[in-house]
Amino acid sequence: MDAQARIKELTDLLNYYNDRYYQDAVSEISDFEFDQLLKELEKLENENPVFRQPDSPTQRVGGGITRNFATVKHKFPMLSLSNTYSEEELREWDARVRKGLNGEPYEYICEIKFDGISLSVDYEDGILARGVTRGDGVQGDDISPNVKTIRSLPLNVRKFEAVLGRNFEVRGEGFMSNEVFREINTAKLERGEALLANPRNAAAGTFKLQDSAVVASRRLDCFIYQFISDNEKFATHEESLIGLKSAGFNVSDSWEKVTDIDAVISYIHAWEHKRHHLSCATDGIVVKVNRYDQREDLGFTAKSPRWAIAYKYKAESKSTRLRGVTFQVGRTGAVTPVAELEPVELSMTTVRRATLHNADEIERLGLAIGDHVFVEKAGEIIPKVTGVDLSQPNPDRQLIRFPAECPACGSALYRTEGEAAWYCPNTEGCLPQIKGTIEHFIQRKAMDIDSLGEGKIDILLENGLIGDAADLYSLQFEQLLGLEKVHTDEETGKERKVSFKEKTVQNILEGIEKSKGEPFAKVLFGMGIRFVGETTAQKLAQYFKHIDQLAAAGYEALIAVPDVGEKVAQSIHEYFRSEKNQGFLEKLKAAGVKLEADNIITEKEGHGLEGLTLLYTGTFEHFSREEIEKKIEANGGRLVSGVSKKLDYLIVGEGAGPSKLKKAADLGVKTISEHEFIAMIS
Ligand code: IVH
């Protein structure tokens, strides 16, 4: 196949897998294979830039640096909404709507008001052409490279021409999910860097970054809530939301159609608490008149439409007493002050503790023990101390002293120039650091040993059964049976007895055994090398293929790996020079943990083709005729001899028979490429 055709094929294929994943939550192909195909495409595009498609998925991973964002005028101004915090004012607004419509019946669509960054996204000829910020409402910044990194935003919607037309604009709210926000902050905390204040600011900052590769790594998302086009595709807002959703846009399912203001108020009450479980921060709800013709009748004021209004929830903030401050030592040795609070109910949970991040934060807040402090749980789910409640006197203010020694092992703490965190240097002997490393190793994203959760690591450590995570692999049934301990849940303060009965021990050992099947990249992430997160671990595993090669790599070789910068390379290099870490690795090797990357095509048999009939035509890159036939059978499919209406898939190879292709097209039989076939059986 020539480069042009292959580029086109890869573009369509990768966009297809992406949309399946982000719209239907189905991964038809492993991340690794996806990345391989993407790399192939990137390479071909670099060699043949003229053949690059306008909807190329390589734009999703960014890479381009924009010096200055161009200013673009919005076709239709991006207005704001009038706001209210009161139900009474909401009823007054409803009365004005009723009057404006001369008593005609009307419906409202209630939606969540997402607290992110408003975006306008232009589609031209069915292809995502431009993403623009709101700016001053009249003109905004063209941040297209950054917007294209949003994976839930389709790059090509030509298939949906009948529903949407080819030229239109969608508007929505760009955001950073609470999950991603937490991940980034956890990583920042470990590195002693300044934390992002909240998901909204994080998203706003990220959308304006000049390096789109960094933007891509922050996994921004967006909810679409408006469709604008010259041709009248829809008569109501409801139809537009359904149409957008059917075309693959990320329309939140939280909207509801109602017929009167009482129902609007019920909607407000229903979401007051539920909204905290959404992935995006929210600050209220939006009520919109459903019919477009009625919207036109109602019109606009100078700043906002008369047909919509935002109701805002008051940010929940409560005052409670600061009982004390404890100091926690994390996996990396960073010491974090934690506010111990008089328990207080906030957004559906009881808050007892809140991180104070670092010494600078305590100083900034001017905190003293016994103070009443305001605690807030805004978008970020994690409770936060926002200030001192000066209305509550605290006559004997006890100042908070940041310790000079590690609260766990007594070593003198140190602080690196330019970093906010204080660290305990005793990585080899400080218990919370050891425990943190083991917890890091067993977490879902690493070795996934969930049978070891909830205080069980403590028991193993306290009984001297393990000194590091690799020791888990030499645990014996008899050593564990009968051990017990009272475990206090850090979040709830509840006490519970953990005891190792027969079944528990069995589960633990099975979980440990199973973890030996986790791929190399996850093992590498689990090892807890400083600055090596999940993505870097994947890149390293792919690049070096074997732990020995990684361990032997010098600084120069490390820095050559995509995404590995100076700090990361330095850290990896140091990690493998430590005798303790070398011992740890030896134990992992002896245990049979995967320390090399798997081959791309697995020989394992599966059920990917269960109940399907298939036929192939042409020749293939990865299989001979016999091999592809064996693969079909081995994965539950049935090979048939000719194209008929009953055929599910025709696998098309190089030099495919034109008559078979034509017949398949005539009968509407789906054709797939070799790569799609591989994806189906992976
Ligand atoms: S509709 C004419 N719907 O709130 C305005 N806006 O104050 C049309 N927002 O700039 C906006 N969620 O950034 C609409 N479901 C939603 C929204 C929403 C959040 C933001 C948007 C807008 C601001 C208006």
Side-chain angles (χ1 to χ4, degrees):
M1 193 184 293
D2 65 7
Q4 184 173 12
R6 182 67 181 150
I7 286 177
K8 176 87 182 66
E9 181 182 58
L10 285 169
T11 300
D12 292 347
L13 189 57
L14 287 163
N15 280 339
Y16 166 79
Y17 288 136
N18 180 81
D19 293 352
R20 277 292 273 164
Y21 185 77
Y22 285 93
Q23 291 158 22
D24 312 328
V26 176
S27 29
E28 293 191 10
I29 182 172
S30 69
D31 291 357
F32 177 74
E33 282 161 316
F34 187 94
D35 290 344
Q36 290 294 310
L37 295 178
L38 194 63
K39 261 197 199 153
E40 184 189 345
L41 177 60
E42 241 165 343
K43 184 163 171 283
L44 285 173
E45 283 179 351
N46 286 338
E47 291 162 2
N48 310 275
V50 287
F51 297 145
R52 182 198 197 113
Q53 302 288 306
D55 58 341
S56 169
T58 56
Q59 302 171 92
R60 302 258 196 222
V61 292
I65 309 275
T66 314
R67 291 262 165 265
N68 285 305
F69 296 117
T71 308
V72 187
K73 194 163 182 292
H74 297 297
K75 256 196 225 140
F76 304 91
M78 290 181 83
L79 300 175
S80 56
L81 291 169
S82 56
N83 272 327
T84 177
Y85 286 89
S86 103
E87 291 180 11
E88 201 180 306
E89 280 180 19
L90 200 59
R91 287 184 188 279
E92 287 166 14
W93 170 77
D94 172 57
R96 287 198 296 277
V97 169
R98 179 166 328 120
K99 196 161 162 236
L101 294 174
N102 293 319
E104 208 178 63
Y106 55 92
E107 297 157 341
Y108 289 131
I109 300 294
C110 299
E111 282 170 21
I112 299 294
K113 187 169 189 299
F114 300 104
D115 191 14
I117 306 303
S118 31
L119 295 176
S120 142
V121 186
D122 266 325
Y123 283 80
E124 284 172 6
D125 203 19
I127 303 287
L128 196 166
R130 218 171 359 270
V132 185
T133 62
R134 178 175 184 278
D136 61 5
V138 176
Q139 51 184 30
D141 288 336
D142 182 340
I143 52 163
S144 303
N146 294 351
V147 169
K148 286 176 184 171
T149 66
I150 301 176
R151 303 225 167 198
S152 70
L153 207 52
L155 294 172
N156 181 335
V157 286
R158 285 188 180 152
K159 269 195 303 201
F160 302 99
E161 182 174 0
V163 187
L164 305 172
R166 280 202 165 210
N167 297 296
F168 58 88
E169 179 183 340
V170 294
R171 288 183 182 174
E173 203 73 357
F175 65 93
M176 179 182 285
S177 74
N178 293 325
E179 195 195 355
V180 172
F181 172 74
R182 251 173 296 173
E183 271 175 32
I184 292 179
N185 261 0
T186 310
K188 281 188 175 285
L189 196 66
E190 282 176 6
R191 279 180 256 143
E193 291 176 8
L195 298 181
L196 303 171
N198 56 52
R200 193 191 168 281
N201 289 7
T206 305
F207 273 116
K208 289 295 188 72
L209 290 177
Q210 289 169 329
D211 183 346
S212 55
V214 179
V215 180
S217 74
R218 299 244 175 126
R219 285 144 49 208
L220 295 168
D221 203 344
C222 91
F223 279 130
I224 298 299
Y225 50 68
Q226 201 174 2
F227 175 86
I228 304 174
S229 94
D230 294 334
N231 41 30
E232 291 163 4
K233 282 280 169 195
F234 306 108
T236 64
H237 184 51
E238 178 185 28
E239 285 171 17
S240 78
L241 293 178
I242 294 171
L244 286 168
K245 179 108 188 170
S246 74
F249 284 95
N250 190 15
V251 176
S252 165
D253 292 322
S254 50
W255 65 272
E256 209 176 290
K257 181 166 77 174
V258 301
T259 48
D260 60 39
I261 197 68
D262 287 331
V264 170
I265 288 166
S266 303
Y267 180 89
I268 291 175
H269 293 168
W271 280 98
E272 170 139 27
H273 295 304
K274 263 199 304 192
R275 70 197 176 99
H276 296 298
H277 299 299
L278 295 170
S279 56
C280 170
T282 58
D283 58 351
I285 66 141
V286 184
V287 194
K288 303 172 179 175
V289 169
N290 190 21
R291 268 168 53 184
Y292 287 163
D293 60 334
Q294 292 182 328
R295 287 187 178 187
E296 225 164 282
D297 293 343
L298 290 164
F300 297 83
T301 68
K303 279 191 304 198
S304 53
R306 289 201 185 84
W307 45 262
I309 192 166
Y311 173 90
K312 289 219 189 175
Y313 294 111
K314 291 176 197 75
E316 224 190 333
S317 166
K318 280 193 184 154
S319 167
T320 189
R321 210 176 73 91
L322 180 67
R323 286 173 165 173
V325 173
T326 51
F327 295 88
Q328 272 184 358
V329 187
R331 168 172 77 87
T332 58
V335 177
T336 310
V338 179
E340 303 289 342
L341 304 162
E342 211 76 72
V344 59
E345 287 295 316
L346 211 58
S347 317
M348 297 210 297
T349 51
T350 309
V351 176
R352 291 184 169 78
R353 323 177 79 210
T355 170
L356 292 168
H357 304 308
N358 51 48
D360 298 351
E361 177 75 356
I362 297 178
E363 204 170 307
R364 190 184 72 79
L365 291 165
L367 279 189
I369 312 242
D371 277 352
H372 270 76
V373 293
F374 288 113
V375 189
E376 231 176 65
K377 240 176 132 181
E380 53 263 56
I381 321 257
I382 306 162
K384 186 174 159 188
V385 174
T386 55
V388 177
D389 177 3
L390 297 169
S391 70
Q392 309 268 348
N394 178 16
D396 44 16
R397 303 186 84 223
Q398 249 186 70
L399 286 182
I400 298 161
R401 220 178 48 84
F402 206 93
E405 286 100 35
C406 173
C409 73
S411 309
L413 301 181
Y414 71 94
R415 195 180 204 178
T416 313
E417 179 80 28
E419 286 197 24
W422 286 90
Y423 285 92
C424 165
N426 183 12
T427 43
E428 309 204 352
C430 180
L431 196 65
Q433 291 190 55
I434 296 170
K435 186 180 158 198
T437 324
I438 301 174
E439 281 172 344
H440 177 80
F441 185 80
I442 65 167
Q443 66 172 301
R444 190 176 45 81
K445 289 189 257 172
M447 301 308 275
D448 194 14
I449 314 179
D450 60 355
S451 55
L452 269 177
E454 296 158 344
K456 298 200 183 76
I457 296 291
D458 287 322
I459 303 190
L460 299 178
L461 281 170
E462 282 165 23
N463 285 281
L465 295 176
I466 55 173
D468 62 30
D471 293 339
L472 292 171
Y473 294 99
S474 38
L475 289 173
Q476 302 294 323
F477 188 87
E478 301 73 34
Q479 291 176 297
L480 302 179
L481 194 66
L483 297 176
E484 57 182 30
K485 175 190 160 90
V486 176
H487 172 68
T488 315
D489 188 296
E490 282 189 4
E491 280 304 309
T492 61
K494 277 193 194 126
E495 289 195 341
R496 211 166 28 82
K497 194 153 127 190
V498 182
S499 51
F500 284 12
K501 304 210 180 72
E502 210 172 304
K503 185 82 201 135
T504 315
V505 176
Q506 238 167 36
N507 277 343
I508 293 175
L509 293 176
E510 273 166 23
I512 294 172
E513 189 57 33
K514 199 186 84 211
S515 75
K516 292 181 187 169
E518 294 297 341
F520 178 38
K522 287 177 82 179
V523 182
L524 197 51
F525 169 64
M527 283 162 50
I529 305 171
R530 243 182 125 191
F531 309 131
V532 176
E534 266 182 292
T535 321
T536 310
Q538 275 164 13
K539 296 253 156 82
L540 290 168
Q542 253 174 57
Y543 194 89
F544 289 101
K545 302 271 192 279
H546 195 288
I547 193 81
D548 289 343
Q549 277 160 13
L550 173 63
Y555 177 82
E556 293 305 323
L558 287 164
I559 201 124
V561 182
D563 270 12
V564 171
E566 283 172 30
K567 217 159 73 169
V568 184
Q570 192 64 40
S571 162
I572 298 170
H573 192 66
E574 271 168 29
Y575 181 92
F576 289 105
R577 302 285 117 19
S578 138
E579 248 175 62
K580 178 180 147 256
N581 294 335
Q582 286 166 6
F584 175 69
L585 262 183
E586 284 314 312
K587 285 194 273 184
L588 286 185
K589 273 188 191 167
V593 163
K594 279 199 183 163
L595 294 167
E596 61 184 312
D598 290 328
N599 285 330
I600 306 171
I601 300 164
T602 63
E603 292 301 316
K604 239 172 73 194
E605 320 278 307
H607 304 279
L609 308 176
E610 212 72 78
L612 298 176
T613 56
L614 299 101
L615 177 66
Y616 64 89
T617 168
T619 58
F620 300 96
E621 195 183 328
H622 296 287
F623 310 102
S624 65
R625 296 172 74 89
E626 287 80 11
E627 278 166 349
I628 201 160
E629 289 178 12
K630 241 168 70 189
K631 279 278 169 219
I632 293 175
E633 309 279 20
N635 286 278
R638 204 156 52 80
L639 184 73
V640 293
S641 55
V643 180
S644 76
K645 246 165 101 179
K646 285 202 201 118
L647 179 64
D648 290 311
Y649 292 103
L650 177 65
I651 313 165
V652 181
E654 198 68 66
S659 66
K660 274 194 186 136
L661 287 178
K662 182 173 181 312
K663 195 159 176 202
D666 291 344
L667 294 173
V669 169
K670 219 172 149 186
T671 56
I672 53 173
S673 69
E674 180 180 1
H675 280 275
E676 286 172 287
F677 172 72
I678 293 172
M680 288 172 84
I681 60 174
S682 313

